[in-house]
Amino acid sequence: MGENGRGDHPPGGLRADRPGDSVLLLLYRPDALANLLEKPAVRAILARAGYAEEVALPQVLARFARCLAADGFPHEIGIFLGYPLKDVVGFMGLARIPFTCQGP
């Protein structure tokens, strides 16, 4: 294990040039993200968003970067940011999720 107790894998980075002069940087742990993307529920959600079902991390990140480079943010960004899958599914409109409160 490395000094941080999380293994010896260096962090990964993804750069997406956004419309205008903006750049979005996503920093991630490759081992943790690869493990997340291997989960059947995550693969199913990404497939509904247009990702191929059986691809390696570099291909998933390349497609995600293309989506980020477009105007707006892709709904599946929540998966890459670690949001609960039920929230991502609800935000994408793939399932009705009841809520307990609503803001003003």
Side-chain angles (χ1 to χ4, degrees):
M1 291 254 169
E3 290 181 26
N4 63 8
R6 297 185 180 180
D8 292 324
H9 301 285
L14 173 74
R15 176 191 167 126
D17 294 320
R18 304 274 300 151
D21 293 334
S22 299
V23 173
L24 187 137
L25 298 175
L26 174 68
L27 301 177
Y28 59 91
R29 290 183 31 221
D31 55 336
L33 187 54
N35 288 337
L36 177 68
L37 295 176
E38 289 176 4
K39 294 182 178 183
V42 172
R43 288 234 179 242
I45 294 167
L46 289 176
R48 294 284 303 266
Y51 291 74
E53 287 191 46
E54 296 297 327
V55 294
L57 181 60
Q59 288 81 18
V60 172
L61 289 174
R63 181 167 189 325
F64 184 55
R66 288 191 303 273
C67 292
L68 285 172
D71 196 20
F73 283 96
H75 291 135
E76 69 272 15
I77 194 170
I79 293 172
F80 295 91
L81 296 177
Y83 286 31
L85 289 181
K86 71 176 185 71
D87 293 343
V88 176
V89 168
F91 188 72
M92 291 175 77
L94 300 175
R96 291 187 53 128
I97 306 294
F99 54 87
T100 56
C101 66
Q102 181 175 355

